[in-house]
Amino acid sequence: MSVPDYMQCAEDHQTVLVVVQPVGIVPEDQFFRIYKRIASVSQVNIRDSQRLLYIRYRHHYLPENNEWGDFQTHRKVVGLIAITTCSSAKEWPQTAERFHGQKEVYSSTLYDSRLLVFGLQGEIAEQQRTDMAFYPSFENCSDVEKRVEDFVESIFIVLESKRLDRATDKSGDKIPLLCVPFEKKDFVGLDTDSRHYKKRCQGRMRKHVGDLCLQASMLQDALVHYHMAVELLRGVNDFLWLGAALEGLCSASVIFHYPGGTAGKMAGRKPSVSQPADAGKRHRPGAQEVLIDPGALTANGISADTSTEIGRAKNCLSPEDIIEKYKEAISYYGKYKNAGVIELEACVKAVRVLAIQKRAREASEFLQNAVYINLGQLSEEEKIQRYSILSELYELIGFHRKSAFFKRVAAMQCVAPTIPEPGWRACYKLLLETLPGYSLSLDPKDFSKGTHRGWAAVQMRLLHELVYASRRMGNPGLSVRHLSFLLQTMLDFLSDQEKKEVTQSLENYTSKCPGGMEVITLPDGLKLPPVPFTKLPIVRSVKLLNLPVSLRPHKVKGLLGQNLSAASPFIYSPIIMHNRGEERCKKIDFQWVQGDVCEVQLMVYNPMPYELRVENMGLLTSGVEFESLPAALSLPAESGLYPVTLVGVPRTAGNITVNGYHTSVFGVTSDCLLESLPGVKTSGCLVEVIPALPRLQLNTSLPRSAHTPQPMSKEELSSSVSVQLFNGETQQLTVTLENIGSEDIETLELTSKTMSTKEKVFGEFLNWELEETLSHLPLKPGQAVTLTINIKVKLDFSGQENLLQDLNDDGISVTGLPISSPLRQVLKPRPDNKPVSSESGKVEYSHIKILLYFRGAMQNYSLDLYQMYVALHRYVCIKQKKSTGNQHLPLVQHLAP
């Protein structure tokens, strides 16, 4: 026996083996359809008895394994069900001959056989035969299960007769010596009359009867016979059969202690329910507690009584003793080179029992022993099967990393150099199954939590093997996805040289198949999520920038009251829920404008040891239609935080949320969401986009002032021009208004305001006419209109007795020095002891500067030239000592926009 059954378990010793095979030409799908129905009859309750007969089905069984049927009866083929097709009476003789030839293969062990014929009708099909059943088609065969039950009952009759025949002690009869195939040549010429030989024959027969009792559901009798066989065989040092007797004793005890079975969830025992076996795999019966007939006959033919349970408990091994006996049996098997398959299967059975007992360390010792069992020259397929089963058994006992190791060995065996056609698909599939054992997931979100699990060196090796296997499969998209995953998740563990090699490989792959953000679905249904490059570059902060001062929108004060009624009611809640997502979605207190370029600043870092080129980097947004303007970056090697500004234009109004950014690095396009970046700092990513506003440019006919005034409030923008006028002088100021935006300017307002608290000093000196200007409204984009403002200086300085004191209050020197507005220039205060008048003989003309400010703000499709401020500061003419009268000095007016 050279091919082990890795799916065997202890309760298989209780089953009888039935082979189901096709005869002639039978469609594969139809054969397995009938096979599943046959295999569903996994246990049969024998009529007129409380005993159950368990059946193990196979559709492929090596005849050489059948030769070990005397050694362990559950290996013996006792039933044959043949499935064939026959369309006419002419084909029938040939079909019947094939069936008889199939029976000859297992003739030495067969108890009974059946032939199921599909497609034959007529006189032959109407004949009533016990060993054959005729059906018109594969669809019209409703009584297949009933036929199989009758067949199983006939097997039980033969089994029971053989058990009774061999269990009865016939004095004087010579007991035959049961042998395994390789022993026959060793017993040639032995003295068959010696006491030693007779004990050997008795011990082996007792063990054989124990097997038959176990198959016939007589557990107590089986335990008794196994105990007797152990004593007899131990006395004659018949180690191979002693190991078999000990294993039988263990199997009977396991069936008693674990009636649900030891082969896992799919192997539980349940009446008339089972899972059909796949090619090369065993079929386990369903889950039901073993029923023992207390009235069944014992070996002496005496009906058992209630003491049977007591006797069973006495003869049955304890859970701990079961494992010790398994160890002893395996040690005996190890003495025989030709018993390697028996030894290996015993190790597997013991592991399944230990898994039920949750004794993983001891189970691993059995598996370690199984690894080193030499089975001779195995084919590549048999090696793959062996390593795969070892992997499943290690998984069963919770040794996940060890399981992954053997699964990976099986994957490498699929592409061994000795295989003419390497199975790269099978290799890739097995490699995927090893991922959980190495704490590796193909979802990059599992690596964003901060704590790395598993051995990074092993994980990188496995990912490299996945890349290579997918390339050999002819799927470059898979190679790009796995290589991207390797670079993203293992970047911290790669050396500088490895980073260069991985990125070069990635660029080579993406030149043929660019990487994207689509989900890749494998043939077996596994889905590979996209891998965004959130570490190339690393983003540390995201900040939404306000519009330039000249483009910022402001609410019209007159319209504030209209919005109060539409505001939502305030509801107080003592429960405050804070989380990172709410902070990121917090609304920012400024607005963007539809159609204007908006900016978002990112602080990025390049972790690579060389210059990183980032192509097509832009913003990911939601809420409104947004046109992202892509940017290209070139970050120095291992640079510090580097500011990057991404821009875009909102095309519609509403609330816009900046969800992240997209990049193209090494040929891989990535969508990086902020919610998947735990280390990113942001003050909020939600901002309101208001409808498009008009943009107005203002030019004047006067020269610009050297002083730039600061805005009085956030709603105002200012520019300045200057002019000098004498008292009584008049001059015109031409203001040109040009619409440089994309919206019509519908309204225009012009107001003036003095910028001083000394209003009693000033008079009105600005006037204008708006009728001509307003007639050109609405002002279309690109059009301009002019406005004329008359400036007339008319001041009266008489009767201002306290003027000097008023000016002194502002800290302004009145010594006759030329000074300007107190708001624009601060001069030295007047010393307390300095005389008010200037020195004798000098006549200085003090002057007055007038500042004219143009300040404006726009909102909601309208133009408001809010304020035209005029600040007029008067300075007193100083009476000179030798003067005959008051002299009015020239008035200088400083005009500032």
Side-chain angles (χ1 to χ4, degrees):
M1 188 163 52
S2 60
V3 180
D5 184 356
Y6 294 99
M7 301 303 293
Q8 278 217 7
C9 51
E11 54 267 26
D12 280 345
H13 287 248
Q14 194 182 21
T15 62
V16 294
L17 179 59
V18 174
V19 173
V20 182
Q21 290 183 337
V23 173
I25 301 176
V26 180
E28 184 177 357
D29 56 338
Q30 299 291 358
F31 169 77
F32 281 103
R33 178 182 173 187
I34 300 300
Y35 177 81
K36 290 179 181 181
R37 294 182 59 183
I38 294 173
S40 66
V41 187
S42 60
Q43 55 193 39
V44 176
N45 194 346
I46 306 302
R47 283 177 288 186
D48 302 327
S49 172
Q50 295 184 12
R51 281 188 280 173
L52 286 172
L53 187 63
Y54 295 93
I55 307 96
R56 189 170 87 259
Y57 295 95
R58 290 288 183 272
H59 54 74
H60 179 72
Y61 195 74
L62 293 177
E64 63 185 52
N65 291 3
N66 197 38
E67 298 176 2
W68 289 72
D70 289 337
F71 181 72
Q72 290 176 326
T73 57
H74 72 283
R75 302 180 184 278
K76 182 186 301 185
V77 179
V78 298
L80 172 65
I81 299 179
I83 299 175
T84 187
T85 58
C86 184
S87 58
S88 65
K90 293 181 180 181
E91 298 178 4
W92 173 245
Q94 186 179 5
T95 301
E97 184 179 352
R98 288 176 179 172
F99 173 57
H100 290 297
Q102 195 78 8
K103 287 198 297 183
E104 288 297 324
V105 178
Y106 307 106
S107 59
S108 60
T109 58
L110 275 184
Y111 291 173
D112 202 356
S113 60
R114 290 289 187 274
L115 176 63
L116 304 182
V117 185
F118 293 88
L120 182 62
Q121 298 180 358
E123 183 180 351
I124 298 177
E126 294 174 357
Q127 297 178 3
Q128 298 296 327
R129 302 183 58 173
T130 57
D131 61 339
M132 297 181 184
F134 297 91
Y135 299 100
S137 65
F138 286 98
E139 291 75 21
N140 189 8
C141 52
S142 58
D143 65 338
V144 168
E145 290 82 1
K146 181 63 173 62
R147 293 268 189 175
V148 174
E149 289 181 5
D150 295 340
F151 170 64
V152 171
E153 288 191 358
S154 68
I155 290 178
F156 175 79
I157 294 172
V158 179
L159 173 65
E160 184 69 4
S161 64
K162 287 184 177 292
R163 182 189 68 82
L164 292 173
D165 181 57
R166 299 196 174 184
T168 306
D169 185 10
K170 299 178 181 178
S171 301
D173 291 351
K174 192 171 184 179
I175 301 175
L177 177 66
L178 302 176
C179 299
V180 295
F182 71 87
E183 285 184 320
K184 293 179 181 178
K185 62 180 184 300
D186 298 332
F187 293 124
V188 176
L190 287 181
D191 183 8
T192 58
D193 295 329
S194 65
R195 180 181 179 87
H196 188 277
Y197 182 83
K198 290 181 179 180
K199 275 197 169 185
R200 185 193 296 267
C201 293
Q202 290 174 358
R204 293 189 177 191
M205 184 56 69
R206 282 291 179 182
K207 187 267 171 194
H208 181 66
V209 174
D211 288 347
L212 294 174
C213 291
L214 191 59
Q215 286 183 309
S217 293
M218 299 188 67
L219 187 59
Q220 170 59 28
D221 288 9
L223 289 168
V224 172
H225 284 292
Y226 284 138
H227 274 289
M228 294 174 64
V230 167
E231 295 301 324
L232 290 169
L233 295 171
R234 196 186 296 278
V236 294
N237 292 334
D238 191 356
F239 295 118
L240 180 62
W241 286 77
L242 174 58
L246 288 171
E247 187 182 355
L249 188 60
C250 292
S251 298
S253 302
V254 167
I255 292 170
F256 174 73
H257 286 292
Y258 309 106
T262 63
K265 295 180 180 179
M266 299 300 294
R269 295 177 173 238
K270 194 172 183 180
S272 301
V273 176
S274 68
Q275 298 291 334
D278 294 331
K281 295 186 178 180
R282 62 176 304 283
H283 175 268
R284 293 295 316 134
Q288 171 81 5
E289 187 170 336
V290 179
L291 301 177
I292 304 298
D293 181 9
L297 293 177
T298 63
N300 297 323
I302 303 174
S303 178
D305 55 11
T306 55
S307 64
T308 303
E309 292 296 328
I310 301 174
R312 180 184 305 142
K314 180 179 179 182
N315 295 320
C316 185
L317 299 175
S318 66
E320 293 76 14
D321 289 340
I322 291 174
I323 304 306
E324 293 303 321
K325 296 303 180 185
Y326 263 126
K327 289 181 180 179
E328 186 180 355
I330 291 170
S331 67
Y332 292 145
Y333 291 150
K335 296 178 182 292
Y336 299 88
K337 180 180 179 181
N338 294 323
V341 172
I342 304 295
E343 180 184 1
L344 179 59
E345 291 181 356
C347 289
V348 172
K349 296 169 190 174
V351 169
R352 297 188 187 278
V353 176
L354 285 167
I356 296 267
Q357 297 178 357
K358 301 187 182 304
R359 297 160 65 179
R361 270 187 86 176
E362 295 178 64
S364 68
E365 295 175 3
F366 279 93
L367 282 177
Q368 193 67 25
N369 179 65
V371 172
Y372 294 106
I373 296 175
N374 185 13
L375 298 181
Q377 192 68 24
L378 296 178
S379 66
E380 300 300 336
E381 184 178 352
E382 290 170 346
K383 291 178 182 178
I384 295 171
Q385 185 187 17
R386 181 179 184 180
Y387 294 132
S388 298
I389 294 300
L390 286 172
S391 172
E392 292 179 9
L393 293 173
Y394 272 113
E395 184 72 23
L396 183 64
I397 63 176
F399 282 38
H400 304 297
R401 196 166 60 211
K402 198 81 168 181
S403 170
F405 170 78
F406 280 102
K407 187 83 72 174
R408 181 172 166 270
V409 172
M412 295 299 103
Q413 201 67 46
C414 293
V415 292
T418 55
I419 299 179
E421 297 181 1
W424 287 106
R425 292 190 180 277
C427 173
Y428 179 81
K429 184 176 183 298
L430 289 172
L431 286 175
L432 286 180
E433 295 175 3
T434 66
L435 297 179
Y438 290 117
S439 302
L440 191 59
S441 165
L442 292 181
D443 190 348
K445 293 181 181 179
D446 297 335
F447 289 82
S448 62
K449 300 175 183 177
T451 304
H452 185 88
R453 297 177 60 245
W455 292 350
V458 179
Q459 292 172 343
M460 287 190 290
R461 176 67 180 272
L462 182 59
L463 289 173
H464 275 295
E465 291 170 351
L466 282 173
V467 172
Y468 186 74
S470 56
R471 183 176 72 84
R472 293 300 299 268
M473 286 166 52
N475 194 334
L478 269 182
S479 301
V480 171
R481 179 58 51 86
H482 291 312
L483 206 54
S484 302
F485 182 85
L486 169 63
L487 188 59
Q488 167 69 18
T489 59
M490 302 295 169
L491 186 64
D492 298 337
F493 304 99
L494 294 172
S495 64
D496 290 350
Q497 183 61 30
E498 288 173 335
K499 289 178 182 178
K500 292 181 180 179
E501 293 175 356
V502 170
T503 52
Q504 288 175 359
S505 299
L506 184 58
E507 287 179 327
N508 291 335
Y509 285 129
T510 53
S511 63
K512 303 175 183 177
C513 181
M517 292 296 293
E518 69 280 357
V519 177
I520 298 179
T521 303
L522 300 178
D524 58 354
L526 179 64
K527 295 185 178 180
L528 300 183
V531 181
F533 277 157
T534 59
K535 293 185 178 180
L536 298 172
I538 298 175
V539 176
R540 294 301 187 195
S541 66
V542 176
K543 182 181 180 181
L544 277 65
L545 302 181
N546 201 347
L547 294 173
V549 176
S550 60
L551 299 179
R552 293 177 189 175
H554 303 287
K555 288 188 177 182
V556 179
K557 294 181 180 179
L559 300 177
L560 291 177
Q562 300 176 8
N563 297 331
L564 294 177
S565 60
S568 60
F570 172 74
I571 301 177
Y572 170 75
S573 173
I575 302 175
I576 301 177
M577 307 272 305
H578 287 294
N579 58 50
R580 191 174 187 86
E582 291 178 355
E583 291 177 1
R584 282 182 172 162
C585 294
K586 183 172 61 176
K587 195 169 184 178
I588 301 178
D589 58 357
F590 58 77
Q591 291 85 30
W592 284 349
V593 178
Q594 174 187 345
D596 288 350
V597 176
C598 306
E599 299 178 336
V600 177
Q601 187 181 72
L602 279 64
M603 301 300 294
V604 301
Y605 166 72
N606 175 21
M608 304 302 283
Y610 51 84
E611 185 180 32
L612 178 65
R613 297 188 306 274
V614 184
E615 301 174 359
N616 194 26
M617 189 173 187
L619 294 172
L620 297 175
T621 62
S622 63
V624 302
E625 182 182 346
F626 187 82
E627 179 185 355
S628 178
L629 305 178
L633 311 178
S634 182
L635 302 176
E638 297 180 346
S639 65
L641 289 179
Y642 191 86
V644 174
T645 302
L646 302 180
V647 299
V649 179
R651 296 302 180 187
T652 57
N655 289 330
I656 185 172
T657 302
V658 177
N659 299 319
Y661 59 94
H662 64 83
T663 61
S664 179
V665 183
F666 304 126
V668 178
T669 302
S670 303
D671 291 343
C672 306
L673 301 179
L674 299 184
E675 61 183 13
S676 62
L677 305 176
V680 173
K681 298 180 180 179
T682 176
S683 59
C685 294
L686 177 64
V687 66
E688 181 185 2
V689 178
I690 64 173
L693 298 178
R695 296 173 61 182
L696 184 67
Q697 181 174 290
L698 183 147
N699 295 314
T700 65
S701 59
L702 296 178
R704 295 184 61 85
S705 172
H707 302 284
T708 302
Q710 297 296 324
M712 297 295 292
S713 64
K714 69 178 183 178
E715 292 87 359
E716 298 174 357
L717 301 176
S718 64
S719 61
S720 63
V721 295
S722 63
V723 65
Q724 293 187 2
L725 297 176
F726 290 92
N727 190 17
E729 186 177 357
T730 301
Q731 184 169 336
Q732 287 188 342
L733 167 65
T734 302
V735 179
T736 303
L737 305 176
E738 182 181 359
N739 185 354
I740 61 173
S742 59
E743 301 294 326
D744 295 350
I745 297 176
E746 299 177 355
T747 61
L748 176 65
E749 294 182 10
L750 186 64
T751 60
S752 65
K753 183 178 180 182
T754 57
M755 297 176 59
S756 172
T757 58
K758 308 296 186 298
E759 296 182 4
K760 57 188 176 181
V761 181
F762 296 91
E764 294 293 335
F765 58 91
L766 294 179
N767 62 83
W768 57 82
E769 295 293 335
L770 282 179
E771 286 76 8
E772 175 65 22
T773 303
L774 295 178
S775 65
H776 292 83
L777 298 183
L779 196 63
K780 301 293 182 181
Q783 294 182 350
V785 66
T786 58
L787 171 66
T788 301
I789 299 176
N790 298 314
I791 305 173
K792 183 177 182 180
V793 181
K794 182 179 180 181
L795 302 177
D796 184 7
F797 298 103
S798 62
Q800 304 294 332
E801 298 178 356
N802 58 345
L803 179 60
L804 292 179
Q805 182 63 35
D806 292 338
L807 295 177
N808 271 335
D809 291 341
D810 290 336
I812 303 300
S813 173
V814 291
T815 58
L817 298 177
I819 58 177
S820 61
S821 167
L823 298 180
R824 295 300 158 199
Q825 183 174 354
V826 179
L827 300 180
K828 297 180 181 179
R830 182 184 61 186
D832 294 338
N833 56 358
K834 187 172 183 179
V836 175
S837 61
S838 61
E839 295 182 2
S840 174
K842 293 184 178 179
V843 178
E844 295 189 5
Y845 293 91
S846 298
H847 60 275
I848 297 175
K849 287 188 177 181
I850 300 176
L851 301 179
L852 180 61
Y853 297 95
F854 291 98
R855 303 176 184 270
M858 299 166 285
Q859 175 175 350
N860 295 340
Y861 302 93
S862 64
L863 170 68
D864 295 326
L865 185 58
Y866 279 136
Q867 299 167 337
M868 183 177 291
Y869 298 107
V870 178
L872 178 63
H873 301 282
R874 305 182 190 179
Y875 299 94
V876 180
C877 62
I878 307 300
K879 184 182 291 185
Q880 305 300 326
K881 285 185 177 182
K882 294 183 180 181
S883 175
T884 57
N886 293 337
Q887 181 178 359
H888 292 282
L889 300 180
L891 176 68
V892 178
Q893 184 169 356
H894 186 84
L895 199 59

